[in-house]
């Protein structure tokens, strides 16, 4: 499994993304709504590593001063080739990219090796996941969901460390 550091949204943005999850499900696309875990919530992953040492949460606390801030959830995108991941881009602002670089810098001493390459500064695509393992034949139903491509103003208010090994979330407060 993995550890990650993630951005969290305000209640209005969280609810708006969950409505998209529900609309995708209603259209026959297995979305993130199918994951009933209490820790499953709309988020933006900043960094991912195989493991993060104790102390990373405390080290991340000073970055809370960079929150909250407004953003824009933009275009739908696809990752993958056969089993597709449907996401929405979090439009990268200068502030978001600065925060990403700071999270990367702070986390590196707590990571054995390096973060996974797709989350490294300069290689990261900020996004909100809508559905995983989407069969290509379900894409027409997914993109036909009303409002899927409509820009969504958002507010980013929180930071958490997700321990995927133990399936535990640690809010950074």
């Amino acid at each position: 499994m993995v550890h990650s550091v993630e951005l969290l949204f305000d209640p209005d943005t969280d609810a708006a993304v969950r409505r998209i999850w529900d609309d995708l499900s209603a259209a026959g696309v297995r979305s993130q709504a199918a994951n009933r875990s209490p820790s499953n919530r709309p988020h933006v992953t900043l960094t991912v590593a195989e493991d993060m040492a104790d102390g990373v949460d405390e080290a991340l606390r000073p970055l809370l001063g960079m929150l909250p801030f407004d953003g824009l959830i933009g275009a739908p995108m696809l990752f993958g080739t056969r089993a597709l991941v449907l996401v929405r881009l979090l439009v990268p602002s200068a502030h978001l990219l600065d925060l990403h670089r700071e999270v990367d810098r702070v986390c590196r001493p707590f990571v054995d090796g390096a973060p996974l390459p797709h989350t490294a500064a300069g290689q990261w695509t900020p996004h909100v996941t809508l559905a995983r393992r989407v069969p290509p034949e379900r894409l027409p139903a997914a993109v036909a969901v009303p409002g899927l491509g409509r820009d969504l103003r958002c507010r980013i208010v929180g930071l958490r460390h997700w321990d995927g090994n133990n399936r535990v979330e640690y809010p950074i407060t």
Side-chain angles (χ1 to χ4, degrees):
M1 292 300 282
V2 296
H3 287 245
S4 59
V5 176
E6 302 165 349
L7 292 172
L8 301 176
F9 297 108
D10 72 330
D12 290 340
T13 306
D14 187 278
V17 172
R18 288 177 188 271
R19 279 191 298 277
I20 296 169
W21 290 357
D22 291 342
D23 291 346
L24 286 165
S25 292
V29 178
R30 188 174 183 275
S31 75
Q32 290 298 101
N35 181 343
R36 297 293 182 195
S37 168
S39 62
N40 180 45
R41 64 178 42 95
H43 66 273
V44 176
T45 301
L46 292 165
T47 191
V48 178
E50 290 299 323
D51 195 23
M52 288 185 189
D54 291 341
V56 70
D57 297 355
E58 183 66 32
L60 287 165
R61 270 194 195 97
L63 299 185
L64 291 174
M66 297 180 79
L67 301 175
F69 64 97
D70 294 325
L72 183 67
I73 298 173
M77 302 184 311
L78 295 171
F79 295 141
T81 52
R82 276 188 264 154
L84 302 169
V85 180
L86 176 62
V87 304
R88 293 274 305 267
L89 175 69
L90 179 60
V91 177
S93 65
H95 185 79
L96 177 63
L97 294 174
D98 288 345
L99 177 58
H100 177 255
R101 274 189 295 278
E102 283 301 298
V103 167
D104 181 69
R105 180 189 62 75
V106 167
C107 289
R108 287 214 179 234
F110 298 92
V111 172
D112 187 22
L116 298 185
H118 71 279
T119 63
Q123 298 179 45
W124 175 63
T125 303
H127 65 277
V128 181
T129 300
L130 304 177
R132 298 178 189 277
R133 295 178 287 284
V134 178
E137 62 272 12
R138 297 304 309 152
L139 283 179
V143 297
V145 167
L148 182 71
R150 189 177 311 123
D151 286 351
L152 174 63
R153 298 259 170 224
C154 66
R155 184 111 175 120
I156 297 156
V157 298
L159 193 62
R160 78 172 176 177
H161 165 208
W162 169 247
D163 175 354
N165 297 325
N166 296 303
R167 308 199 64 71
V168 176
E169 67 176 325
Y170 299 98
I172 309 300
T173 58

